[in-house]
Amino acid sequence: MSSSAKTLTLLVLGSGGREHALLWRLAQSSVVTTIYVAPGNPGMIPRDNNTGSQAELVALPQFGTTPEHFPALVSFASSHNVDLVIPGPEQPLIDGVADAFRHSGIAVFGPSREAAQLEASKTFAKDFMDRWNIPTASYANFTSCEKALQYIRSLSEFPVVVKADGVAAGKGVLIAMTLGEAEQAVKTIMVERRFGQAGDSVVIEQFLVGQELSVLTITDGFTHVNLPPAQDHKRIGDGDTGLNTGGMGAYAPAPVATPQLMSEIDSTIIAPTIAGMRRDARPFVGVLFTGLILTEKGPRVLEYNTRMGDPETQAVLPLVSRETDFARLLLAAATNCLDSVPLRILQDKFSTAIVMSSHGYPESNYQRGDVITVDPAFYQLTNTQLFYAGVSLSDNNELITSGGRVLAISSMADSIKQSVDNAYKAVKLVNFSRCYYRKDIAHNALENDTTSPAQITYADSGVSVDNGNALVQQIKAKVKSTTRPGSDADIGGFGGVFDLHAAGFPNASESLLVAATDGVGTKLIIAQETGIHNTVGVDLVAMNVNDLVVQGAEPLFFLDYFATGNLELPIAVDFVSGVADGCIQSGCSLVGGETSEMPGMYPPGHYDTNGTAVGAVLKKNILPKKLQMSEGDVLLGLASDGVHSNGFSLVRKIVQHANVNWSDPCPWDNKNTFGEAILTPTRIYVKQLLPVINQQLVLGLAHITGGGLVENIPRALPDELQAVVDMNAWKLPEVFKWFGKAGNVPIDDILKTFNMGIGMVVILKQENVAKVTSLLESAGETVYKIGQLQKKPSNEPGCVVRNAIDLY
């Protein structure tokens, strides 16, 4: 069918945000009647299929885009009279999908397998540029790890760039600042195989400095037209920090790409590339994506892609005027008559696309399955679009997250600043749990924007007062639920007050205040890596109130501190909700705290926390009662709920050594993932212990935290006594066996690190054992008689552990 056909049926291949943007733009064509998308995603097709155009959109989820699906796709296209196929992702093109359709006489807007080598192999691309004198960084290619390392060791200047030769979803480019980092980068790619077969060979090239630019060029192999130049944001974190991603946002046109610069890029890079491919008998048809860096010596090619970029497509396509029939334009390119359809670009317009991703992306263990909600006000916005990517349907037919990059929001306006502002306003109307997005999209353009006087707000520095206020409102009800006598548990003021008399301590001369402060430690990193934040708040309370109760004190009130580089409401709400749960379990009131947003202090998605608990105890009940302890006193152990909150630096080291992912099934708890099991919160023993303390049935308590049994029990003992603990008195939980075996941890070391299944130790007289055991068991505790006190021999430790052999 010619490009002047009256009607067209199209087939788009892919399921991401780029393909959604293509679908949206192609549906505006006056000649398109049906657009099939294989496999598509549930967000692409409106529930009522009302696209505002005549085109019918049909998803084909039964098809994939891997080579085994090519025959079925070709058969479908033939039987449904498809006029043009538009592959979106790179991998099907690299695998030869365009050849499969062309061999059956179906037009394809996309390069052949041979032409797609420009993206499939960085070695091929670099050699191509060298052959045709296209400006790029100096480089060397290697298929041998040892030779690559030898080459790196011969270099005198760093940094360098180490690239996996093949396709690695935008993540196979490592910048090495030193010789050591460069060696590790080569090993990561070629030995550890971080990027799979993409690392069969590497390209090591000169590190270039300058702003980056993306140019999308539509070509029929002879003629070409450039779409507005865009700037992408590859790094996950604000300020271009953190890991590489597939792209966190883009804007176009980039002001740095002046008409003069674009003319130079076109004449020295794009036109020679298209001509060179044709002369190499690999004519390029489709979209040539040229990734550039603007150095002091002029533009240089960083990479080629052989398809439209993501999220550049979401930013660029809104700038194509509706006077351009985009479907006819792509068909003209596919049938080698591109100059028959004009491309018109909106003048004096700017477009910004912001990607919203799942928490944990770009790591593989990002959060999935969260319901996506869109405020109805979003659909009242003008020149603003929502493009879905990593989404699926729940059993309740709700749109949920299923990918790292979940969606992109694109907005067009008369200036870059207005476009950015409009896009961020729209982002606030779309939500899913633990969503993440960069807050500085288009920062290069805005920093150099001279079209309007600068107005710097607190939000511009990265601090959102509105988010802080919203957090207070969202957690007020949960905090209120921690109210106890003596406190109103209200937050949002300048401080909390507490009435000791109302709490049951009317006589100040007979009472003592006791305070404890503590944090959660590196267990927080696991919460951040797994996206599970509602348990570490319990840990924070537990670490403090358990330290109070060992002194005989009843916890009265609690204050928390939450610090982050960027306040993400769902995370903060989950965390404070856990704090409130811990307060409820321990009977204390959450009277206040501090939420501190400090851009630049913490990397994206990270936070730190601390807590302070204050309690009271009657002087007669203060613990430990060391003067009353004697040889033969008994040690009772209360079971822990797992690792609790100590030893997590060792936990993370062993997990890394064992090559375990947090999303893997837990080897000792088949109901949970590894991450879920290890985040089981610290057990709180307060309400169970207070009755036996108040009846003066115990002599001392030891909270088993850092240092384990061997270092914590002696803290409650007089110098002349020694605790003797028998490991045969209880069954060692499987979690500790797993870590001990996986890390080959020496017994002495593990005893000083983990609680080994005992979270609290009670020291008491033999005559009180039966009563205390009964009271604790009726309160839900598992109680073991784990040892006794004896006179401490000289030069021996305050605690010895017997039968600690063959533990794992």
Side-chain angles (χ1 to χ4, degrees), residues 503-514:
F505 294 87
N507 193 333
S509 64
E510 296 178 0
S511 305
L512 295 172
L513 287 179
V514 183

Side-chain angles (χ1 to χ4, degrees), residues 90 177 785:
E90 65 275 10
M177 304 304 293
K785 186 176 179 180

Side-chain angles (χ1 to χ4, degrees), residues 454-710:
Q455 293 181 325
I456 302 176
T457 67
Y458 202 15
D460 292 330
S461 70
V463 180
S464 173
V465 175
D466 289 341
N467 275 357
N469 293 335
L471 173 61
V472 171
Q473 295 305 315
Q474 290 192 36
I475 64 176
K476 265 193 170 184
K478 189 64 180 279
V479 172
K480 196 74 174 177
S481 68
T482 70
T483 300
R484 58 156 292 156
S487 166
D488 62 6
D490 201 4
I491 58 170
F494 290 101
V497 294
F498 196 91
D499 184 343
L500 273 175
H501 188 281
F505 294 87
N507 193 333
S509 64
E510 296 178 0
S511 305
L512 295 172
L513 287 179
V514 183
T517 187
D518 206 344
V520 179
T522 51
K523 189 175 186 179
L524 285 178
I525 298 177
I526 300 172
Q528 291 154 20
E529 290 174 344
T530 59
I532 302 171
H533 305 279
N534 60 351
T535 62
V536 287
V538 179
D539 284 303
L540 182 64
V541 176
M543 295 301 291
N544 283 280
V545 297
N546 284 343
D547 281 353
L548 289 188
V549 80
V550 299
Q551 297 172 81
E554 176 186 355
L556 300 176
F557 61 88
F558 191 83
L559 299 106
D560 70 314
Y561 175 74
F562 181 90
T564 182
N566 172 59
L567 182 58
E568 298 183 50
L569 282 179
I571 294 174
V573 169
D574 276 358
F575 170 77
V576 178
S577 179
V579 172
D581 287 338
C583 287
I584 292 169
Q585 290 180 39
S586 58
C588 67
S589 178
L590 180 56
V591 299
E594 167 70 3
T595 300
S596 182
E597 189 172 21
M598 297 182 287
M601 182 68 74
Y602 299 95
H606 287 248
Y607 58 86
D608 196 9
T609 186
N610 184 265
T612 298
V614 177
V617 58
L618 295 174
K619 291 179 179 179
K620 64 179 181 178
N621 291 339
I622 191 75
L623 296 177
K625 298 178 179 179
K626 294 184 180 182
L627 295 178
Q628 298 180 31
M629 294 182 187
S630 60
E631 187 176 8
D633 289 344
V634 175
L635 303 177
L636 297 181
L638 308 188
S640 69
D641 283 342
V643 182
H644 285 185
S645 293
N646 289 98
F648 274 83
S649 294
L650 179 60
V651 165
R652 296 181 68 246
K653 187 72 174 178
I654 294 173
V655 167
Q656 183 181 23
H657 173 74
N659 197 27
V660 175
N661 294 314
W662 300 125
S663 57
D664 291 345
C666 178
W668 65 85
D669 178 5
N670 57 18
K671 296 180 181 178
N672 290 302
T673 65
F674 197 93
E676 289 168 341
I678 204 66
L679 284 172
T680 300
T682 306
R683 188 170 183 83
I684 294 174
Y685 300 96
V686 172
K687 290 184 177 180
Q688 305 92 305
L689 286 170
L690 284 175
V692 298
I693 292 171
N694 292 334
Q695 294 179 54
Q696 301 187 46
L697 296 172
V698 301
L699 302 175
L701 298 166
H703 182 201
I704 309 305
T705 57
L709 292 161
V710 294

Side-chain angles (χ1 to χ4, degrees), residues 104-370:
S104 296
I106 300 170
V108 186
F109 179 71
S112 65
R113 183 204 298 263
E114 288 193 337
Q117 283 297 298
L118 269 182
E119 179 168 5
S121 170
K122 294 178 179 64
T123 297
F124 173 90
K126 296 294 284 192
D127 291 345
F128 170 84
M129 286 183 271
D130 183 60
R131 184 166 61 253
W132 292 104
N133 297 315
I134 294 167
T136 187
S138 59
Y139 72 100
N141 302 325
F142 299 94
T143 56
S144 162
C145 178
E146 188 54 42
K147 289 183 178 179
L149 292 173
Q150 289 175 2
Y151 173 77
I152 284 172
R153 291 162 187 159
S154 72
L155 297 177
S156 58
E157 292 186 6
F158 290 88
V160 296
V161 182
V162 184
K163 298 180 176 180
D165 174 59
V167 177
K171 302 172 188 176
V173 178
L174 305 177
I175 298 173
M177 304 304 293
T178 64
L179 170 61
E181 289 183 9
E183 290 176 331
Q184 183 56 49
V186 169
K187 293 174 183 176
T188 295
I189 293 171
M190 303 193 78
V191 179
E192 297 175 12
R193 312 293 289 177
R194 181 75 57 83
F195 309 107
Q197 291 183 346
D200 287 346
S201 59
V202 294
V203 175
I204 301 170
E205 66 180 32
Q206 172 192 14
F207 178 78
L208 300 177
V209 177
Q211 289 195 51
E212 295 186 19
L213 194 69
S214 303
V215 179
L216 306 182
T217 301
I218 297 174
T219 178
D220 61 4
F222 296 87
T223 307
H224 70 274
V225 290
N226 297 321
L227 291 167
Q231 281 195 325
D232 183 19
H233 298 66
K234 284 292 185 187
R235 301 280 188 145
I236 186 66
D238 290 348
D240 297 319
T241 58
L243 297 174
N244 269 336
T245 71
M248 294 304 296
Y251 65 99
V256 69
T258 63
Q260 294 82 1
L261 179 62
M262 283 304 299
S263 177
E264 178 184 356
I265 290 170
D266 191 78
S267 62
T268 63
I269 294 174
I270 295 173
T273 297
I274 294 168
M277 290 294 286
R278 187 173 64 252
R279 291 166 186 163
D280 282 350
R282 299 172 185 255
F284 192 98
V285 174
V287 167
L288 175 69
F289 176 117
T290 309
L292 302 151
I293 187 166
L294 309 179
T295 74
E296 291 181 351
K297 297 181 178 180
R300 299 288 186 268
V301 177
L302 289 177
E303 66 173 352
Y304 291 117
N305 292 330
T306 57
R307 37 69 191 182
M308 302 193 86
D310 186 343
E312 290 93 344
T313 301
Q314 295 91 307
V316 167
L317 287 190
L319 297 173
V320 176
S321 170
R322 292 206 176 202
E323 294 179 13
T324 297
D325 192 308
F326 200 64
R328 290 185 62 239
L329 180 75
L330 301 192
L331 180 61
T335 53
N336 306 114
C337 55
L338 178 60
D339 57 2
S340 68
V341 178
L343 171 65
R344 302 191 189 281
I345 303 298
L346 294 172
Q347 299 301 305
D348 300 320
K349 296 290 184 183
F350 297 85
S351 178
T352 301
I354 299 169
V355 170
M356 299 180 72
S357 67
S358 295
H359 180 74
Y361 175 81
E363 299 285 7
S364 60
N365 58 343
Y366 52 78
Q367 181 70 21
R368 297 168 173 85
D370 294 317

